[in-house]
Amino acid sequence: MHADQLSWSESTGWHPAKADGAANLVLFFGTRQALACGNRYHELKGIFPHAHILGCSTGGQICNDEVNDDEIVAVALRFVDTRLRLAREPAPGPEHSRKCGEAIGKAMLADDLAGIFILSDGLNVNGSELVAGITGVIGERVPVTGGLAGDGALFQETLVGADSAPTSRIVGAVGFYGTAVRIGHGSAGGWDEFGPRRSITRSRGNVLFELDGKPALDLYESYLGEDDVKGLPGTALLFPLRIRNPKRPDHDIVRTILAVDRAARSMTFAGDVPEGWVAQLMRGNFERLAEGAAKAARQAAEQITEQTGDRIAVLVSCIGRRLLMGQHTVEEVEATGFEFGANVPRLGFYSYGEIAPHGVSGVCELHNQTMTITSISEAVG
C-alpha cells in the first residue's frame, strides 16, 4: 500500500497539487461549511479518477500533530493486493438505522471480507442500531470501525460523501477484501465517574426518559450549573453517561447526548440506552484523556506486528473531548504519535460518535467520548 497525505485551504487549494493518480481510495474530512458546496469532492474526483472517495463533515480535523478548523485533510491510498467495495445507503431517520446497517452489511458480505470503515450522518442515525444491523449480517469477527459525522458544537446538519458530493442523511462505507490487508483498531476513553449510579427505568431506543423512576433531564440538570443547563445539549458533551449491563459489569459503554426535550424531560443519545442498565455521570481531565488516546493508539499499533508497506492511522475522537480540552486538545493527538512513531501518517476528525470493537467483548459497537483509531496497511511479500 502506498499513502499520500494532502490538504486543502481557501488560500492554496489542494496541496500538494500532484499526487498518485492511481490511488484507489481517498478518505477526507472537513467542516460542513467547506464541504457543502460539493466542489472539493469534485476536485478530488478529478485528481483521483480511479478512486473510491469517502469523507464527512467534522467537529475539527486532525492532521498528524495538528488540529484545525480551516483545512480539509485527506489521504490517498493505492492498494496492491487488496480489493475494495464502497456502499452508500440513505439514512432518513433513527428508526431506519438497523435496516440501513443491514443493507450495508449485505452489500459488503463476502468470504474474504477483512474489515469495514464506515462514516454515518451524525444526527439522524442511531449508531448502535446501525452497527448492530451490519454485524447481524457479516458476523462479529469482521472489524467495523469509523464514526458519525460532526458539525462542531452546532448540531444543525452533518454531511457524508461516498462516491458522491457530501450530503445529509447518508451512510457510506468501504470494505477491504483479501488476505494482504492489515487492519488494527483501538478505542479508549479516560473519563472518570462521579455521582451515584442510577437505574435506567424508562427508555425507548436512544431516548432516555427516566432514571430511578424520575425524569432523566431533571436529574441530569441537578448536577449542572445554571450556565451549563442553559447551554444544553452542547454543554452535555462535557458530562457524558457511562452505561453498563448489570449482568455484564465489566462491559461498559459511554453515551453522549445529542438533543434534549425540555417538555418531555427526556434526552436523546447517539446510541441505545437500554432499560435495566445502570448509568453514571462522567467528567474528564486533560492528562487522563491524553492517556486514553495513547492507549487506543497502542492497541491499534500492536495488532500489526509483521512488516508492511506504508501504514496510516485514522483517528476518530469525540467532539466532547475537544470541547473539554480546548487548547490542550493537541496533547491527545500528540500522544497517539508517540505510540505510532513519526513515519506513520495520522489523520482524522472529531465526531458525534465512534465505531470500533469493544475492548472486552471484541464485538463492534458505537462508543462516545472515546479516541478510536484504525490503522491500515498491507503485508509485504
Side-chain angles (χ1 to χ4, degrees):
M1 184 187 84
H2 177 74
D4 282 326
Q5 278 187 296
L6 61 159
S7 62
W8 177 93
S9 69
E10 190 76 44
S11 59
T12 65
W14 288 105
H15 178 79
K18 293 184 179 181
D20 187 351
N24 44 22
L25 176 64
V26 176
L27 302 175
F28 70 93
F29 310 109
T31 64
R32 171 170 60 88
Q33 293 79 4
L35 299 180
C37 66
N39 292 341
R40 307 292 81 80
Y41 164 78
H42 292 295
E43 290 164 0
L44 284 174
K45 194 62 181 175
I47 300 170
F48 305 102
H50 307 295
H52 291 302
I53 300 179
L54 178 65
C56 69
S57 63
T58 79
Q61 295 77 251
I62 299 168
C63 183
N64 298 322
D65 283 342
E66 297 182 358
V67 178
N68 71 78
D69 293 303
D70 301 319
E71 297 183 348
I72 300 171
V73 300
V75 65
L77 307 176
R78 175 167 51 84
F79 291 91
V80 178
D81 296 312
T82 300
R83 294 185 299 107
L84 304 172
R85 184 179 299 168
L86 186 135
R88 181 179 65 247
E89 290 292 329
E95 67 277 10
H96 298 281
S97 299
R98 186 176 287 262
K99 288 185 177 180
C100 179
E102 291 172 349
I104 295 284
K106 291 175 182 177
M108 296 292 178
L109 187 61
D111 291 340
D112 61 344
L113 176 63
I116 295 174
F117 183 79
I118 186 166
L119 298 175
S120 168
D121 184 290
L123 296 174
N124 299 288
V125 169
N126 179 330
S128 55
E129 284 288 286
L130 174 70
V131 176
I134 296 173
T135 58
V137 174
I138 67 171
E140 297 179 350
R141 68 172 185 82
V142 178
V144 181
T145 63
L148 309 187
D151 184 27
L154 297 177
F155 291 88
Q156 295 176 354
E157 183 182 38
T158 62
L159 308 176
V160 173
D163 282 352
S164 61
T167 186
S168 62
R169 299 178 184 266
I170 290 292
V171 176
V174 60
F176 303 86
Y177 299 83
T179 59
V181 67
R182 298 291 182 267
I183 299 175
H185 50 79
S187 182
W191 297 78
D192 298 315
E193 297 176 339
F194 75 99
R197 296 182 180 181
R198 299 184 183 275
S199 177
I200 298 173
T201 48
R202 189 162 72 93
S203 65
R204 185 177 64 247
N206 62 333
V207 182
L208 175 62
F209 293 99
E210 292 182 359
L211 292 167
D212 288 345
K214 299 177 182 179
L217 188 56
D218 287 1
L219 286 174
Y220 190 83
E221 289 182 347
S222 70
Y223 287 93
L224 306 184
E226 182 178 349
D227 290 340
D228 287 334
V229 170
K230 291 179 181 178
L232 289 172
T235 50
L237 293 167
L238 306 179
F239 302 98
L241 283 184
R242 170 170 287 170
I243 62 173
R244 55 169 58 93
N245 185 341
K247 297 179 181 179
R248 301 174 63 191
D250 62 338
H251 184 103
D252 56 67
I253 306 170
V254 181
R255 289 284 181 256
T256 288
I257 297 171
L258 294 182
V260 299
D261 186 330
R262 287 185 166 85
R265 310 306 293 165
S266 67
M267 301 183 290
T268 299
F269 290 81
D272 285 346
V273 282
E275 288 185 2
W277 285 35
V278 175
Q280 191 170 17
L281 274 169
M282 303 182 72
R283 58 190 169 194
N285 65 66
F286 306 150
E287 183 177 352
R288 291 269 288 122
L289 293 176
E291 290 174 355
K295 180 180 178 180
R298 197 157 50 247
Q299 293 170 356
E302 289 176 349
Q303 291 175 19
I304 302 177
T305 58
E306 65 209 285
Q307 183 179 1
T308 64
D310 287 356
R311 180 187 303 189
I312 66 161
V314 183
L315 283 56
V316 182
S317 185
C318 183
I319 181 64
R321 298 170 70 91
R322 186 182 184 196
L323 293 178
L324 176 63
M325 298 183 80
Q327 64 182 2
H328 295 274
T329 302
V330 294
E331 294 176 11
E332 74 161 2
V333 177
E334 290 174 346
T336 68
F338 293 138
E339 299 296 332
F340 280 106
N343 295 328
V344 178
R346 287 165 291 128
L347 81 161
F349 69 101
Y350 282 85
S351 73
Y352 285 177
E354 305 81 57
I355 296 170
H358 192 279
V360 175
S361 69
V363 177
C364 299
E365 295 184 1
L366 174 81
H367 307 267
N368 290 126
Q369 303 292 3
T370 62
M371 167 67 83
T372 292
I373 300 176
T374 306
S375 59
I376 304 172
S377 61
E378 276 188 310
V380 174

